[in-house]
Amino acid sequence: MPKNQNRKVINTKFPEYSWAEYDDEKLMKLRFSSLRLRLRNSPVWDDVSRLHDELERRGVGVRPHVWLSTEWFCPDGIPGIAMPFYLAHPRLMQLERKMMGDVEGGSRKWRQRILRHEAGHAIDNAYALRRRADWRRVFGRAADPYRESYTTRPGSRRFVLHLGHWYAQSHPTEDFAETFAVWMQPKARWRREYTDWPALRKLEFVDGLIAELGDAPPKRRSRAVQDTLAETDMTLGEHYAQRIDMYGAVDRRYDPWLNRVFTTRAKRQRGVPASRFVREIEPQLRRLLERRARMHPYFIDHAIRHVKRRARELDLVLREPPPQAKRQVVRLHERIVMDVLQRNRENYAL
């Protein structure tokens, strides 16, 4: 019997917290250190166990330790992963959605994608992979500076597609983490999906690299953690004020299109929130776009995320009843995807 089938069943029933009954205003006044959240008592602890099982099946000899912090990250030099606090309780996820318009890692599938990416950073740290000459030949110099913004080439086949906004193109270390995350899929899948892509060379490099490492002991075994909730005295309100300021720059390119499909709440007080409607029909929307427009799912994800976020920021609602609005919403997403393609004509290869 495979080892993962013997995995201990995790009790995801989490403790009751008095702040879970607070309204938003009162909750925002709490300090992170006052939340007293524990990852092992949260619904997402099973996702950590699932990641470790996947790493074992793929022959990776490192099991990153995981802790709760204010955001997703993997500290330089530490083979561990920080998960954002809001994933540890439904009430905090509700607040995150209200304040930021979405919950990064809010579904199990999304969390696993991010965890695989962060595991790539952790493996890099554990074995100091970025210092290897062959790693640099494939991915570039890890010492290159991180930029606040980067120019994407959506049609490039030199990078894998995993997280949003063509993240592999942002920096060599992100390119490796994204490639590692895709490599975590069954080998037959990524070979099929990336046939004739230059990115396949990167996947094959990772495949050979992990096989070479085998059970070799990691160079770095630190179980250190950074920016834990217990040592963070910032209030949730201060945290969200900073995040909103950080992500305040928005892409208004498609606002006229959104305003033709939706309307403002001031004009239709009882209208269905547009962001909620898109979220509710998202599975069907994806199927329609993939079948009708034959678009790569990555582009569809990009369009859906933009529409949900911007519709929430503009407080838009449906102009028509949901059955009539659905066709216009599908058409809106088709237009956005086509616009991205037309502005990057080499993307038609996707």
Side-chain angles (χ1 to χ4, degrees), residues 19-207:
W19 47 256
E21 304 300 323
Y22 289 1
D23 61 22
D24 291 346
E25 182 178 0
K26 190 174 181 181
L27 187 57
M28 295 275 273
K29 293 178 181 178
L30 275 183
R31 299 185 184 279
F32 281 105
S33 54
S34 300
L35 293 175
R36 300 188 182 281
L37 285 168
R38 291 177 58 85
L39 182 61
R40 284 183 177 269
N41 296 115
S42 76
V44 293
W45 178 247
D46 196 45
D47 295 309
V48 177
S49 299
R50 189 182 301 271
L51 173 69
H52 290 172
D53 286 347
E54 288 186 355
L55 291 169
E56 181 179 4
R57 286 197 300 271
R58 300 294 279 132
V60 181
V62 174
R63 304 292 179 269
H65 60 293
V66 184
W67 67 95
L68 292 173
S69 186
T70 56
E71 60 184 336
W72 290 101
F73 68 94
C74 176
D76 281 345
I78 297 176
I81 301 169
M83 291 182 76
F85 68 100
Y86 54 79
L87 294 175
H89 197 281
R91 177 65 182 94
L92 299 173
M93 291 176 68
Q94 181 187 48
L95 181 66
E96 175 74 9
R97 187 180 300 281
K98 177 179 179 179
M99 299 305 299
M100 303 306 300
D102 210 344
V103 180
E104 188 177 25
S107 68
R108 168 160 287 179
K109 182 177 180 180
W110 195 353
R111 282 194 297 278
Q112 289 303 129
R113 291 171 74 89
I114 299 174
L115 281 168
R116 290 173 191 137
H117 171 95
E118 299 298 346
H121 287 305
I123 303 306
D124 175 17
N125 288 337
Y127 292 102
L129 298 179
R130 65 185 67 183
R131 296 183 178 179
R132 294 174 53 131
D134 55 355
W135 190 100
R136 292 196 298 270
R137 284 195 297 270
V138 174
F139 295 102
R141 296 175 64 255
D144 287 351
Y146 266 91
R147 296 177 175 85
E148 292 185 4
S149 62
Y150 56 96
T151 301
T152 62
R153 296 181 60 240
S156 176
R157 293 188 170 199
R158 297 183 181 278
F159 302 89
V160 298
L161 303 175
H162 183 66
L163 297 181
H165 202 60
W166 297 272
Y167 197 40
Q169 300 183 31
S170 66
H171 190 269
T173 56
E174 302 301 347
D175 189 9
F176 172 77
E178 287 286 83
T179 304
F180 179 87
V182 171
W183 172 84
M184 286 278 285
Q185 302 171 358
K187 185 180 298 189
R189 181 175 172 183
W190 55 255
R191 284 194 179 279
R192 181 176 63 251
E193 290 183 351
Y194 288 90
T195 299
D196 298 328
W197 285 48
L200 181 62
R201 173 172 167 258
K202 296 178 180 178
L203 287 161
E204 290 174 336
F205 172 79
V206 171
D207 192 49

Side-chain angles (χ1 to χ4, degrees), residues 309-320:
R309 179 186 175 188
R310 195 66 183 126
R312 191 177 186 91
E313 290 169 345
L314 296 173
D315 199 18
L316 300 178
V317 299
L318 300 187
R319 285 183 180 273
E320 303 173 341

